[in-house]
């Protein structure tokens, strides 16, 4: 019997002379032949060259054409005496923001949901391209178009980074190529909305540049930045809500005396990123003066710690207007405090202090817990407060716009190691999602009222008679709600924004199911022949009446957050990026 473990002499001899061995010998000889090595090296070089050339060709399709006006050369009538530079030095060590998710594992359910969101985005984008290209927004019921903000093609700019994130590379290159040719001087608008143009147009361009490295997009952002910078040319260097270029040219601009608090105060993230990317400190100096005003005035209002919803920026007076809110007109003023801390790598301590002091005050004065028949002890909403009568009154009404607060508290809580804020963020974010489910359409109205509990924690017994009295004649409302003051849904993002941030921060997997429920309800309530439309009344059962508007934030924010909550958690990680208030991610300094 042969020993199978040891080859016999005969076997060894066979190996030497077999055709396979001869083939291996020949192959070895060829592989070590210097000519062959040279040929392989040449092929590899050629392939690399072709790939690089292809990339360059793609990039060169995005050719920058300068605008016809160079605003950087315009006279400043009130030039700053000195320019404060961006803080320098090594960014401070930041706590990890994202939950420590396990390494990526394929998740077929999440993938399917992510694809469903992408499909809705693509349908809306293609319809915009076909029916409203070059205009600001699509009319989703009639298939027409409308200009709402400057007429520079708002939707294509606002949605640009979403195209990139969703991997729609050809569409991205096509849109970027169009945008790089825009002339910002080509507008029929007499007044330019400084806030919206900063967060949507400039924010969109900076983010798309941060993601793609496409230089022309930064150049377009810088052109726009130099135009918007003119708004700061006022006697106290605080900008008006609307930039009038004729006033700017004549040196007659002044800050507003009754402007939304969030207007001048929520330009800081975008102007800081612009300063970082262009190394031009004047952009940082401009917004730093607004921050200094906030610091000076924080304790002068009727609720020390907070600023009223409307501010007299001209006289730097916060004592005249008396409504306080985290919702419309004030929202992003507060949202940007923790975000500025992140973007500046913690090098300016003022933003942590502004965040903590204002939000500790807001918890006390603005948040309320609704009274409900079931055990819903943890629900919490951001309401308002008013001092109109001379007595400070809490107003137990909330709004979709205030739903961003859950994400902000969760972010601030994690960033500054404040467990109480993280818990408030969790409650606020989940409450907005709960409010979606409470209405027959599965979508939350723009504004609503509820009966408040006396405290944010502890017992709160349901009082049917009190609820009936508080809701007046309105019998069709879900239990606990006293009105749907504005029953529309405007395709807004704030609720999913907070659910997304909370998910990435806490890792609570149930939030993906919560998001999926919200997404399905929104799609079913808003789908039209062309795309998705705002809804007239979410409190009714059955088919919803559509309103012929699709704000650009539907593609830039709402669908982006829905997409990202189902994406692998490394996609736009919160440890690498910080979102501006229009959901445009900016790269954080490392
Ligand atoms: C967006 O433009 C931004 O999210 C802004 O901060 C608030 N309003 C809309 C979305 O609702």
């Amino acid at each position: 019997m042969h020993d199978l473990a040891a080859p016999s002499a005969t076997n060894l001899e066979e190996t030497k002379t077999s055709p396979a061995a001869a083939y291996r010998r020949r192959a070895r000889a060829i592989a070590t032949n210097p000519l062959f090595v040279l040929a392989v090296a040449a092929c590899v070089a050629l392939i690399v060259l072709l790939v690089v050339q292809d990339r360059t060709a793609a990039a060169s399709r995005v050719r920058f054409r300068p605008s016809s006006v160079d605003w950087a050369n315009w006279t400043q009538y009130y030039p700053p005496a000195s320019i404060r530079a961006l803080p320098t030095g090594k960014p401070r060590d930041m706590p990890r923001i994202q939950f420590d998710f396990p390494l990526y594992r394929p998740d077929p359910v999440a993938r399917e949901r992510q694809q469903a969101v992408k499909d809705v985005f693509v349908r809306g984008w293609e319809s915009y391209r076909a029916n409203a290209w070059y205009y600001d927004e699509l009319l989703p019921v009639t298939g027409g178009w409308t200009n709402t903000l400057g007429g520079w093609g708002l939707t294509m700019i606002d949605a640009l980074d979403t195209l990139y994130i969703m991997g729609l590379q050809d569409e991205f290159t096509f849109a970027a190529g169009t945008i790089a040719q825009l002339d910002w001087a080509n507008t029929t608008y007499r007044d330019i909305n400084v806030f919206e143009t900063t967060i949507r147009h400039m924010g969109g361009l900076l983010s798309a540049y941060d993601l793609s490295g496409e230089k022309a997009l930064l150049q377009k952002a810088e052109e726009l930045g130099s135009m918007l910078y003119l708004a700061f040319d006022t006697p106290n260097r605080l900008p008006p809500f609307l930039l009038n270029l004729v006033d700017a040219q004549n040196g007659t601009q002044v800050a507003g005396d009754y402007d939304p608090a969030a207007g001048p105060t929520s330009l800081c993230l975008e102007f800081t990123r612009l300063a970082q990317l262009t190394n031009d400190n004047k952009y940082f100096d401009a917004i730093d003066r607004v921050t200094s005003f906030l610091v000076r005035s924080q304790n002068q209002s009727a609720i020390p710690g907070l600023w009223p919803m409307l501010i007299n920026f001209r006289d730097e007076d916060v004592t005249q207007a008396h409504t306080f809110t985290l919702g419309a007109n004030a929202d992003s003023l507060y949202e940007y405090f923790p975000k500025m801390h992140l973007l500046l790598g913690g090098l300016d301590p003022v933003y942590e202090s502004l965040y903590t002091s204002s939000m500790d005050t807001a918890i006390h004065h603005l948040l309320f817990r609704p009274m409900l028949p079931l055990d819903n002890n943890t629900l919490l909403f951001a309401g308002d407060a008013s001092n109109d009568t001379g007595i400070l009154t809490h107003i137990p009404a909330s709004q979709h716009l205030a739903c961003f607060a859950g994400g902000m508290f969760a972010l601030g809580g994690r960033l500054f190691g404040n467990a109480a804020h993280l818990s408030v963020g969790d409650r606020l974010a989940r409450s907005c999602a709960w409010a979606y489910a409470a209405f027959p359409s599965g979508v939350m109205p723009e504004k609503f009222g509820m009966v408040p509990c006396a405290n944010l924690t502890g017992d709160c017994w349901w009082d049917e008679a009190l609820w009936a009295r508080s809701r007046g004649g309105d019998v069709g409302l879900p239990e606990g709600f006293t009105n749907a003051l504005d029953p529309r849904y405007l395709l807004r993002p704030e609720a999913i924004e907070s659910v997304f941030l909370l998910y990435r921060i806490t890792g609570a997997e149930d939030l993906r199911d919560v998001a999926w429920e919200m997404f399905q309800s929104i799609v079913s309530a808003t789908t039209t022949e062309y795309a998705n439309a705002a809804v007239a009344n979410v409190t009714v059962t059955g088919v919803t009446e559509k309103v012929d508007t699709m704000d650009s934030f539907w593609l830039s924010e709402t669908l982006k957050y829905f997409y990202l909550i189902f994406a692998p958690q490394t996609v736009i990680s919160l440890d690498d990026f910080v979102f501006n208030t229009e959901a445009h991610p900016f790269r954080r300094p490392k």
Side-chain angles (χ1 to χ4, degrees), residues 408-469:
M408 173 188 60
F409 272 103
L411 183 67
R414 171 55 54 84
L415 179 58
F416 303 123
N418 188 329
H421 283 206
L422 187 50
S423 156
V424 163
D426 191 300
R427 291 174 67 183
L428 286 169
R430 288 177 183 277
S431 301
C432 285
W434 171 87
Y436 266 62
F439 283 89
S441 58
V443 182
M444 181 182 139
E446 181 74 355
K447 286 184 184 166
F448 58 87
M450 302 186 86
V451 183
C453 297
N455 295 304
L456 300 187
T457 52
D459 285 342
C460 178
W461 301 110
W462 172 245
D463 182 340
E464 179 98 26
L466 174 62
W467 174 51
R469 277 199 308 281

Side-chain angles (χ1 to χ4, degrees), residues 16-81:
K16 273 184 205 157
T17 54
S18 72
Y23 173 79
R24 273 200 298 276
R25 267 202 312 280
R26 264 202 311 280
R28 245 194 321 269
I30 293 171
T32 50
N33 183 323
L35 274 178
F36 175 79
V37 173
L38 210 66
V40 169
C43 283
V44 170
L46 194 67
I47 290 167
V48 169
L49 199 72
L50 287 175
V51 169
V52 170
Q53 262 185 348
D54 186 51
R55 291 234 172 106
T56 322
S60 70
R61 280 202 291 276
V62 183
R63 276 224 196 88
F64 173 69
R65 185 165 64 196
S67 289
S68 56
V69 174
D70 184 1
W71 295 277
N73 289 332
W74 281 26
T75 306
Q76 288 275 320
Y77 290 86
Y78 303 98

Side-chain angles (χ1 to χ4, degrees), residues 195-196 199-200 331-332 335 400-401 492-494 497 553 557 581-583:
F195 166 73
E196 298 289 1
I199 66 163
R200 300 194 198 201
D331 40 12
S332 40
E335 177 190 345
H400 201 291
L401 280 165
R492 287 199 191 280
E494 293 78 14
E497 168 185 346
F553 50 69
E557 284 199 76
T581 189
E582 188 74 4

Side-chain angles (χ1 to χ4, degrees), residues 150-301:
W152 295 299
L154 171 62
T155 297
M156 70 178 162
I157 301 171
D158 218 6
L160 192 57
D161 59 354
T162 317
L163 289 169
Y164 192 91
I165 290 167
M166 290 188 176
L168 298 162
Q169 191 56 47
D170 289 347
E171 290 299 314
F172 173 83
T173 307
F174 178 75
T178 309
I179 292 163
Q181 304 277 309
L182 275 177
D183 183 352
W184 299 117
N186 184 13
T187 177
T188 54
Y189 281 61
R190 207 178 58 97
D191 295 314
I192 290 150
N193 185 315
V194 179
F195 166 73
E196 298 289 1
T197 311
T198 299
I199 66 163
R200 300 194 198 201
H201 299 81
M202 197 165 88
L205 289 167
L206 290 171
S207 176
Y209 169 74
D210 257 348
L211 293 170
S212 69
E214 194 60 75
K215 185 101 191 300
L217 299 176
L218 178 58
Q219 290 172 292
K220 273 291 150 207
E222 194 175 2
E223 277 186 348
L224 186 58
S226 69
M227 183 215 273
L228 292 169
Y229 180 72
L230 295 172
F232 294 86
D233 190 22
T234 63
N236 63 357
R237 299 234 24 112
L238 297 181
F241 191 73
L242 299 173
L243 164 65
N244 180 307
L245 287 171
V246 176
D247 288 349
Q249 204 160 26
N250 295 331
T252 54
Q253 283 191 112
V254 285
D257 60 358
Y258 202 58
D259 273 355
T265 60
S266 338
L267 313 171
C268 47
L269 211 69
E270 295 76 7
F271 276 78
T272 298
R273 191 68 192 129
L274 184 63
Q276 290 173 337
L277 291 170
T278 59
N279 291 316
D280 192 339
N281 283 316
K282 77 178 183 209
Y283 296 119
F284 179 70
D285 174 80
I287 58 85
D288 187 58
R289 288 164 193 278
V290 183
T291 301
S292 299
F293 159 67
L294 288 178
V295 173
R296 285 198 298 278
S297 59
Q298 185 174 20
N299 292 319
Q300 296 169 357
S301 74

